[in-house]
């Protein structure tokens, strides 16, 4: 039988004769004291803070002084972004104690390794960049795409050639018979140009060699 438990996998079961897949396990982020958040709105956006108190289902108290962010203030839940980082702390802990706790747990270093931190850094770099720097980035992207495309084309060509040699059906006719080297040699001889004295001799004799042998 299935059990609807939060954050746990559900086993497969037979419900009304149908087979159901289990719930996918995911890491849940709750609004709780000690949860690290990213401020998305306000005077200092894209800064870190920690939840110190929960007022109601819409408003919370956060403190970002440990990360050189905003001071302790009331914030709306819609204006923050929850992270998976959390520390054990007491209700309404002082800012100095919070700072020591964050240094002990190395929260800033752990957050710097997340994708959220990388996205924030990219946004800051783009906002602080000049027109010339943005043009250089765009130019380098085009050059990189061209190099990748050319390398990929060469590799694809080699792979196709190797696959053709290994898996393609081999012809039963020999190479010498396919190319007909003897016939080509005869054709070259027949298409040889006559010299001046030879042309005069054959012209007097009234022989049309072009019609007979293919001479020019």
């Amino acid at each position: 039988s299935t059990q609807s438990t939060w954050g746990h996998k559900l086993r497969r079961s037979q419900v009304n004769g149908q087979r159901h897949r289990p719930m996918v396990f995911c890491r849940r982020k709750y609004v709780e004291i000690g949860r690290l958040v990213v401020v998305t709105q306000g005077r200092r956006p894209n800064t870190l803070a920690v939840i110190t108190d929960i007022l109601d289902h819409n408003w919370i108290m956060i403190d970002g002084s440990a990360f050189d962010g905003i001071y302790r203030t009331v914030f709306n839940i819609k204006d923050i972004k929850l992270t998976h980082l959390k520390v054990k702390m007491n209700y309404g802990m002082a800012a100095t104690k919070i700072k020591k706790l964050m240094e002990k747990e190395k929260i800033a270093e752990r957050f710097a390794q997340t994708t959220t931190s990388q996205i924030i850094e990219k946004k800051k770099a783009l906002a602080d960049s000049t027109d010339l720097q943005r043009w250089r980035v765009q130019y380098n992207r085009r050059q990189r795409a061209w190099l990748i495309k050319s390398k990929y084309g060469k590799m694809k060509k080699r792979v196709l050639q190797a696959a053709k040699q290994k898996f393609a059906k081999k012809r039963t006719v020999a190479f010498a018979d396919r190319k007909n080297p003897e016939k080509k040699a005869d054709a070259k001889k027949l298409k040889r140009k006559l010299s001046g004295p030879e042309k005069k001799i054959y012209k007097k004799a009234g022989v049309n060699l072009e019609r007979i042998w293919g001479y020019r």
Side-chain angles (χ1 to χ4, degrees), residues 198-212:
E198 289 177 341
K199 286 182 179 180
K200 289 181 181 178
I201 293 169
Y202 288 116
K203 190 175 182 181
K204 288 182 180 179
V207 179
N208 190 359
L209 294 175
E210 184 177 356
R211 184 176 178 184
I212 301 172

Side-chain angles (χ1 to χ4, degrees), residues 23-194:
M23 180 188 294
V24 179
F25 179 79
C26 62
R27 193 184 309 179
R28 299 188 180 277
K29 304 171 186 176
Y30 296 105
V31 179
E32 53 188 334
I33 295 173
R35 177 69 62 182
L36 193 72
V37 298
V38 178
V39 179
T40 58
Q41 302 293 334
R43 296 181 179 180
R44 294 189 180 182
N46 299 326
T47 56
L48 293 176
V50 62
I51 299 175
T52 58
D53 191 9
I54 299 173
L55 304 180
D56 57 14
H57 61 283
N58 282 330
W59 297 92
I60 58 175
M61 186 83 71
I62 61 174
D63 190 351
S65 57
F67 309 100
D68 298 330
I70 60 176
Y71 293 101
R72 187 167 299 187
T73 182
V74 179
F75 239 78
N76 196 302
I77 294 177
K78 296 178 182 179
D79 298 335
I80 63 169
K81 182 179 180 181
L82 298 173
T83 65
H84 67 278
L85 298 174
K86 180 185 176 296
V87 293
K88 291 183 180 180
M89 56 178 290
N90 296 328
Y91 158 79
M93 185 181 284
T96 54
K97 293 183 179 180
I98 291 174
K99 190 172 183 179
K100 291 180 181 179
L101 182 62
M102 296 300 166
E103 291 176 355
K104 182 181 178 181
E105 297 290 337
K106 297 181 180 180
I107 295 296
E109 290 81 358
R110 289 165 59 186
F111 178 76
Q113 299 176 357
T114 60
T115 55
T116 306
S117 175
Q118 295 174 4
I119 292 170
I120 291 172
E121 292 297 330
K122 286 181 181 180
K123 288 182 179 180
K124 286 183 179 179
L126 183 62
D128 298 337
S129 61
T130 60
D131 292 342
L132 180 60
Q133 292 174 345
R134 287 192 291 270
W135 177 81
R136 284 175 178 173
V137 171
Q138 186 180 11
Y139 179 79
N140 291 333
R141 283 179 179 174
R142 290 178 180 174
Q143 292 295 317
R144 182 183 63 182
W146 180 81
L147 289 172
I148 292 171
K149 190 175 180 180
S150 61
K151 289 283 185 181
Y152 172 76
K154 292 178 181 178
M155 291 172 62
K156 184 179 178 181
K157 187 176 180 180
R158 292 175 185 173
V159 169
L160 290 175
Q161 288 177 354
K164 187 177 180 181
Q165 292 177 1
K166 189 173 183 180
F167 300 106
K169 293 182 179 180
K170 295 183 179 180
R171 298 182 181 180
T172 56
V173 184
F175 178 79
D177 297 336
R178 288 203 310 269
K179 297 300 180 180
N180 296 325
E182 296 179 358
K183 292 184 179 180
K184 281 193 172 183
D186 295 340
K188 287 182 179 179
K189 290 180 182 179
L190 292 173
K191 291 181 180 178
R192 183 177 66 85
K193 290 185 178 181
L194 295 173

